[in-house]
Amino acid sequence: MDIYLKRAILHIIDREAGDPVYSQVELDLTTEYIRDYLTKKIQKLSTAQTKTGVLIDKSTIGQLAKVAESDFTQFSEHFVARWYDIYHQSEDAPSADVFIVLYEMDTEMYAAFLKVNYTDAYTHFVEADESGIQNKLIINRAILGGKTQKADEGLTLNLSSLAYELIEKKYSFSGEKGFYFSTKVIESQPVPSLEENVKVIKRVAEKIGQKFEAPSYDIVADVKEAVFDTIEETGQIDAKEIAEKVFKDNITAQMAFQEEVVEKGFVDRAPMLREVKEISEKKYGKQKLKLSNGIELIVPLDVYRNTDLIEFVNNPDGTISVTIKNVDEVINRL
């Protein structure tokens, strides 16, 4: 996806110092490292853990979005103030810097909220006095994560449709740990992330599989393959298609699976990220197997189902033999 940055500003959230330090001057987007840093942070908000939804027009952030382009600095300050009013009530939420970014993608305007927590890092400090120059080793406790790391929390918001993508973390409020960004800051109930939906599918499939004495490793393999295939075909996860692929001709198991995943919180055909196919290929395009004897295997899906290349045999004594076939070369990488 091509991201065209328009405006950006940085606000400082030092929990020990008190209230946020709001910048009155925007970041210089002609500086290459600033553009690169912000672009990478926005791109990395699209993950298997990202939740999606649409804001209500009358919500606080929905109303603020209307002035994001015309009064960007005020929009950024009001957005952060709204967020911080909730955030500072947490007992364990850390200090951070917050970037508010206005950008264009596919001819649509977006606003991004990027929270990057501070980390400790060592550096040198030069001090000069009457004794001479002294080079000291100090700890800087306000270092930001690099551009290759995703933001600790973040939101991208389509300013026209109010559709959003969200990564949020759980923090403690009055002794109870829970999500706060979706329910309290943006006042929205997002649909479960791809990862959350797949976890429900996996747990339920294993439970149903046990009733019909299907091997657990085979069920998990079928689930990963079914998720990968349905996303590749439709861009969504369809419970009916997953059931058919995993339980094949067992209609009873299929029906039980479809009923229970809904009970456990699965959202059928939930809206997905635009990068969902790329994410699915990375996360579910390979089978990762750990055998009881310590051997670990990473097998591409097309290889896993090809008995000419790999075969799993159930032995009479209850053990399983894994045979890898037709290998021309073995490469050992350090």
Side-chain angles (χ1 to χ4, degrees), residues 273-289:
L273 307 172
R274 63 176 67 216
E275 296 83 11
V276 67
K277 291 187 178 181
E278 179 183 337
I279 294 170
S280 172
E281 184 173 356
K282 289 180 180 178
K283 195 167 181 67
Y284 307 115
K286 295 179 180 179
Q287 299 288 2
K288 297 179 181 179
L289 309 172

Side-chain angles (χ1 to χ4, degrees), residues 212-310:
F212 294 92
E213 300 181 348
S216 177
Y217 73 87
D218 221 16
I219 289 290
V220 174
D222 286 339
V223 166
K224 291 187 73 171
E225 185 175 6
V227 167
F228 178 78
D229 287 344
T230 54
I231 290 177
E232 282 292 300
E233 293 165 7
T234 67
Q236 295 177 316
I237 300 181
D238 186 312
K240 186 173 184 293
E241 290 187 20
I242 297 289
E244 291 173 353
K245 289 177 181 288
V246 173
F247 297 106
K248 301 175 177 65
D249 298 326
N250 192 331
I251 304 300
T252 303
Q254 290 178 28
M255 297 300 293
F257 172 82
Q258 291 180 66
E259 290 176 6
E260 189 157 342
V261 289
V262 173
E263 291 176 5
K264 298 297 183 182
F266 172 80
V267 177
D268 200 22
R269 293 184 168 276
M272 292 286 178
L273 307 172
R274 63 176 67 216
E275 296 83 11
V276 67
K277 291 187 178 181
E278 179 183 337
I279 294 170
S280 172
E281 184 173 356
K282 289 180 180 178
K283 195 167 181 67
Y284 307 115
K286 295 179 180 179
Q287 299 288 2
K288 297 179 181 179
L289 309 172
K290 187 172 183 179
L291 311 186
S292 59
N293 59 10
I295 295 174
E296 296 184 17
L297 302 173
I298 299 177
V299 187
L301 281 177
D302 56 341
V303 173
Y304 185 84
R305 290 306 183 195
N306 188 339
T307 54
D308 291 331
L309 300 177
I310 187 169

Side-chain angles (χ1 to χ4, degrees), residues 181-193:
F181 205 114
S182 55
T183 56
K184 296 181 180 179
V185 178
I186 62 174
E187 304 165 285
S188 179
Q189 183 61 54
V191 297
S193 66

Side-chain angles (χ1 to χ4, degrees), residues 99-114:
F99 298 90
I100 303 295
V101 186
L102 188 68
Y103 66 97
E104 182 181 346
M105 184 173 66
D106 294 339
T107 72
E108 299 265 14
M109 291 301 299
Y110 290 80
F113 175 104
L114 307 167

Side-chain angles (χ1 to χ4, degrees), residues 2 6 9 27 31 69 82 93 102 110 155 217 232 246 271:
D2 292 326
K6 301 297 183 181
I9 198 165
L27 293 172
T31 305
E69 294 181 73
R82 162 74 180 178
L102 188 68
Y110 290 80
L155 173 85
Y217 73 87
E232 282 292 300
V246 173

Side-chain angles (χ1 to χ4, degrees), residues 33-284:
Y33 71 82
I34 294 178
R35 294 199 311 273
D36 193 32
Y37 187 84
L38 295 177
T39 300
K40 290 288 195 300
K41 291 294 183 190
I42 293 171
Q43 290 172 336
K44 287 186 173 295
L45 284 181
S46 294
T47 71
Q49 297 82 38
T50 304
K51 303 172 184 178
T52 60
V54 180
L55 293 185
I56 298 172
D57 183 66
K58 293 182 179 180
S59 65
T60 303
I61 303 301
Q63 290 296 303
L64 278 177
K66 295 178 180 180
V67 299
E69 294 181 73
S70 61
D71 196 353
F72 175 71
T73 303
Q74 280 293 96
F75 161 76
S76 73
E77 185 172 329
H78 289 161
F79 193 160
V80 173
R82 162 74 180 178
W83 163 79
Y84 186 71
D85 186 50
I86 307 297
Y87 187 75
H88 87 280
Q89 299 175 35
S90 170
E91 298 92 353
D92 58 358
S95 297
D97 281 353
V98 173
F99 298 90
I100 303 295
V101 186
L102 188 68
Y103 66 97
E104 182 181 346
M105 184 173 66
D106 294 339
T107 72
E108 299 265 14
M109 291 301 299
Y110 290 80
F113 175 104
L114 307 167
K115 180 176 79 81
V116 184
N117 294 346
Y118 297 154
T119 58
D120 292 351
Y122 292 90
T123 188
H124 64 260
F125 179 77
V126 181
E127 190 173 82
D129 55 26
E130 63 275 3
S131 303
I133 295 176
Q134 181 183 11
N135 297 330
K136 293 183 175 181
L137 178 66
I138 64 170
I139 295 179
N140 190 324
R141 301 192 182 279
I143 298 297
L144 300 180
K147 66 182 181 182
T148 58
Q149 298 174 261
K150 69 181 180 183
D152 294 278
E153 292 189 274
L155 173 85
T156 59
L157 176 65
N158 184 307
L159 296 178
S160 298
S161 67
L162 297 183
Y164 66 84
E165 295 180 359
L166 171 69
I167 287 181
E168 61 178 339
K169 284 192 171 181
K170 290 182 177 181
Y171 291 112
S172 294
F173 292 85
S174 301
E176 293 186 9
K177 212 170 189 68
F179 293 118
Y180 74 100
F181 205 114
S182 55
T183 56
K184 296 181 180 179
V185 178
I186 62 174
E187 304 165 285
S188 179
Q189 183 61 54
V191 297
S193 66
L194 172 62
E195 186 175 90
E196 289 171 331
N197 264 339
V198 173
K199 282 182 179 178
V200 171
I201 288 172
K202 176 179 173 291
R203 286 196 297 267
V204 173
E206 287 180 314
K207 180 181 176 182
I208 301 297
Q210 286 179 349
K211 294 180 179 179
F212 294 92
E213 300 181 348
S216 177
Y217 73 87
D218 221 16
I219 289 290
V220 174
D222 286 339
V223 166
K224 291 187 73 171
E225 185 175 6
V227 167
F228 178 78
D229 287 344
T230 54
I231 290 177
E232 282 292 300
E233 293 165 7
T234 67
Q236 295 177 316
I237 300 181
D238 186 312
K240 186 173 184 293
E241 290 187 20
I242 297 289
E244 291 173 353
K245 289 177 181 288
V246 173
F247 297 106
K248 301 175 177 65
D249 298 326
N250 192 331
I251 304 300
T252 303
Q254 290 178 28
M255 297 300 293
F257 172 82
Q258 291 180 66
E259 290 176 6
E260 189 157 342
V261 289
V262 173
E263 291 176 5
K264 298 297 183 182
F266 172 80
V267 177
D268 200 22
R269 293 184 168 276
M272 292 286 178
L273 307 172
R274 63 176 67 216
E275 296 83 11
V276 67
K277 291 187 178 181
E278 179 183 337
I279 294 170
S280 172
E281 184 173 356
K282 289 180 180 178
K283 195 167 181 67
Y284 307 115

